[in-house]
Amino acid sequence: QVQLMESGGGLVQPGGSLRLSCVASGSISGLNVMNWYRQAPGKERELVAAITHDRRTEYVDSVKGRFTIARDDAKNTMYLQMNSLRPEDTAVYYCNMVRLGSVTWGQGTQVTVSS
């Protein structure tokens, strides 16, 4: 089974940018949806952005215009470019792949937006 590993999190000031990466241990080609979720302390995990195998994308309203999801199947990698970051974006960010009824999660990467 494919494993996912996130990277790119860290501490950034409000208004700053980060790019998260999610690297898969195997191929991400084929029929699937890849997603970025986040979970802030005391809150439920929420879907932030999604990208299908044919590059259709969806975003939660709170990140539209600021975040961009992308994938590079040749590198088995998905990205989340986060711009104009706000303190309320602080959370652990997880990547996830849904393929043929199977769901795979990464371990998460912490994003902290603070001055």
Side-chain angles (χ1 to χ4, degrees), residues 38-41 86-93 110-114:
R38 66 186 178 187
Q39 188 166 21
R86 305 167 179 169
E88 54 264 39
D89 296 317
T90 295
V92 178
Y93 284 71
Q110 175 71 46
V111 171
T112 302
V113 185
S114 175

Side-chain angles (χ1 to χ4, degrees), residues 75-90:
K75 295 182 178 180
N76 297 325
T77 303
M78 176 178 65
Y79 305 96
L80 186 67
Q81 178 67 43
M82 306 186 294
N83 299 327
S84 301
L85 283 161
R86 305 167 179 169
E88 54 264 39
D89 296 317
T90 295

Side-chain angles (χ1 to χ4, degrees), residues 90-108:
T90 295
V92 178
Y93 284 71
Y94 300 89
C95 65
N96 152 298
M97 181 169 68
V98 181
R99 179 166 62 183
L100 299 177
S102 175
V103 181
T104 302
W105 289 91
Q107 294 298 308

